């Protein structure tokens, strides 16, 4: 091959010169590729970083939203339970007055009428106060936690066991409902000391509810559905006054004399979850153990019925 000097290259024969032609183009392509590759790599890395960051941001937002709604739901229930934690003003191991008496004389000189006097019914008075102060409660009841004891200076005979007249432990002693009328003087002839008496009062000595209040703990049941929506059963122990000595030791009282049960409507949770959205398409649900919606973001309660919800029971 013949190489000519640049000044002697005729027009149209530049490709014969070693400084031009294919070799120059190859080097140029190599330099261009080497310059573009880092830019492409940085671009891909940036896209991946933004995608991961966005995903993490969405997950953090979801976690924060769920935590917030969980806390608001728990606060709604806890605030109601706080009103159930009652301590009576006496230290004797006796129930609150239920209105039944044999001429009981109250402080101030008032004598209760026989056999039932609504003015002497402390249990009904407290239950009505709970319903009045909380419109989300549809039913409340007192549950006995005092066992029968031997009466002093009493001789046991075939007809008299000398045991104090109290309902069985776990038996409701007073119940008030918004849904239907329950006579306050249920068991008017005698105190409802037997299970079969006063059929409108429940008896559940072996239930988780009664076990909890007997142990001095609050109780929160599982949500259940009625024609009026979702409800939960809540309960708390009722204690008598604790008397302490100089060393702060309890010498009398501090006993669990009863339990308070209530049926709480979960309708207010609709307001809590109504505004719980994630961007334009994300939304939240509160479901029961079977996946049925209790509360949801606005407009999403119906759409969940046709979806399969996976509930993690772990």
């Amino acid at each position: 091959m013949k190489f000519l000097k640049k000044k002697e290259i005729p027009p149209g024969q530049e490709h014969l010169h070693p400084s031009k032609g294919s070799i120059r183009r190859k080097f140029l392509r190599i330099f261009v590729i080497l310059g573009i590759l880092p830019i492409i790599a940085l671009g891909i890395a940036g896209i991946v970083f933004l995608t991961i960051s966005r995903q993490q941001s969405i997950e953090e937002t979801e976690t924060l939203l769920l935590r917030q709604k969980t806390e608001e739901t728990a606060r709604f229930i806890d605030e109601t339970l706080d009103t159930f934690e009652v301590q009576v003003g006496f230290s004797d191991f006796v129930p609150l007055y239920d209105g039944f008496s044999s001429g009981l004389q109250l402080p101030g000189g008032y004598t209760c009428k026989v056999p039932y006097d609504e003015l002497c019914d402390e249990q009904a008075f407290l239950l009505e106060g709970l319903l009045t102060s909380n419109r989300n409660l549809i039913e409340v009841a007192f549950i006995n936690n005092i066992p029968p004891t031997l009466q002093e200076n009493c001789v046991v005979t075939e007809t008299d066991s000398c045991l104090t007249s109290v309902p069985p432990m776990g038996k409701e002693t007073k119940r008030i409902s918004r849904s239907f009328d329950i006579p306050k003087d249920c068991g008017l002839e005698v105190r409802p000391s037997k299970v079969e008496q006063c059929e409108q009062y429940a008896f559940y000595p072996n239930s988780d509810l009664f076990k909890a209040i007997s142990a001095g703990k609050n109780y929160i049941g599982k949500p259940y559905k009625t024609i009026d929506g979702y409800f939960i059963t809540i309960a708390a122990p009722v204690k008598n006054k604790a008397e302490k000595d100089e060393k702060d030791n309890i010498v009398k009282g501090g006993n669990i004399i009863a339990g308070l049960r209530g049926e709480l409507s979960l309708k207010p949770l609709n307001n809590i979850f109504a505004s719980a959205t994630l961007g334009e398409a994300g939304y939240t649900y509160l479901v029961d153990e079977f996946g049925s919606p209790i509360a949801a973001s606005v407009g999403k309660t119906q759409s969940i019925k046709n979806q399969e919800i996976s509930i993690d029971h772990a």
Side-chain angles (χ1 to χ4, degrees):
M1 180 182 293
K2 180 180 180 182
F3 294 96
L4 302 175
K5 294 181 180 181
K6 183 176 181 180
K7 64 181 180 179
E8 298 177 353
I9 297 176
Q13 298 185 14
E14 292 86 352
H15 64 280
L16 297 177
H17 195 276
S19 63
K20 293 188 177 183
S22 61
I23 295 177
R24 173 184 288 182
R25 285 194 294 271
K26 287 180 180 180
F27 276 107
L28 182 60
R29 282 197 296 268
I30 292 172
F31 288 137
V32 170
I33 292 173
L34 291 176
I36 292 177
L37 281 177
I39 298 176
I40 295 175
L42 288 174
I44 294 174
I47 294 173
V48 172
F49 175 77
L50 289 175
T51 302
I52 295 175
S53 298
R54 183 175 181 274
Q55 184 64 32
Q56 290 179 341
S57 177
I58 293 175
E59 292 176 355
E60 290 174 357
T61 303
E62 290 176 347
T63 302
L64 181 61
L65 179 63
L66 292 176
R67 184 183 299 117
Q68 177 186 356
K69 296 308 169 183
T70 300
E71 291 175 352
E72 290 180 11
T73 301
R75 189 182 306 118
F76 164 70
I77 298 173
D78 289 342
E79 287 177 351
T80 304
L81 268 174
D82 288 343
T83 64
F84 275 49
E85 296 177 355
V86 177
Q87 178 177 293
V88 298
F90 54 82
S91 57
D92 295 328
F93 196 41
V94 294
L96 286 164
Y97 294 144
D98 57 6
F100 297 96
S101 71
S102 54
L104 176 69
Q105 189 169 12
L106 299 179
Y110 179 80
T111 301
C112 299
K113 299 177 183 178
V114 180
Y116 174 80
D117 191 337
E118 186 174 355
L119 295 177
C120 298
D121 195 340
E122 293 180 331
Q123 295 187 25
F125 176 77
L126 288 173
L127 295 181
E128 289 173 343
L130 286 172
L131 289 181
T132 302
S133 62
N134 191 335
R135 63 181 181 180
N136 298 313
L137 286 169
I138 64 161
E139 183 177 297
V140 284
F142 270 106
I143 305 170
N144 179 53
N145 193 55
I146 299 177
T149 57
L150 286 173
Q151 302 180 44
E152 296 181 0
N153 303 321
C154 181
V155 179
V156 178
T157 64
E158 292 183 358
T159 58
D160 189 357
S161 63
C162 289
L163 293 176
T164 53
S165 177
V166 294
M169 295 179 67
K171 174 78 172 180
E172 290 181 347
T173 56
K174 193 69 62 176
R175 179 184 178 191
I176 298 180
S177 174
R178 298 185 194 272
S179 303
F180 53 92
D181 293 330
I182 301 174
K184 295 178 182 177
D185 58 353
C186 188
L188 182 60
E189 297 300 325
V190 293
R191 287 172 180 259
S193 58
K194 296 182 180 180
V195 176
E196 61 269 17
Q197 292 175 344
C198 200
E199 60 183 10
Q200 290 151 317
Y201 291 171
F203 180 59
Y204 28 37
N206 299 317
S207 65
D208 292 336
L209 182 153
F210 185 66
K211 290 177 182 178
I213 61 177
S214 297
K217 300 178 180 178
N218 292 340
Y219 172 83
I220 301 176
K222 295 181 179 180
Y224 62 91
K225 190 174 184 180
T226 70
I227 58 175
D228 295 321
Y230 274 91
F231 295 83
I232 59 169
T233 301
I234 59 176
V238 177
K239 296 182 179 181
N240 57 7
K241 182 181 178 181
E243 296 182 2
K244 299 181 180 181
D245 58 17
E246 297 177 354
K247 297 182 179 180
D248 205 33
N249 297 318
I250 297 177
V251 295
K252 184 180 180 181
N255 309 111
I256 300 170
I257 62 173
L260 261 178
R261 173 187 66 82
E263 304 303 317
L264 180 65
S265 171
L266 299 182
K267 286 183 179 179
L269 297 183
N270 291 326
N271 297 328
I272 293 177
F273 281 81
S275 59
T277 58
L278 290 169
E280 297 180 357
Y283 43 85
T284 60
Y285 289 120
L286 176 66
V287 299
D288 62 16
E289 59 181 334
F290 305 108
S292 300
I294 298 175
S297 302
V298 173
K300 297 300 180 181
T301 305
Q302 297 297 326
S303 64
I304 194 176
K305 294 182 178 180
N306 299 322
Q307 300 180 23
E308 182 179 351
I309 305 297
S310 176
I311 305 298
D312 184 4
H313 293 278

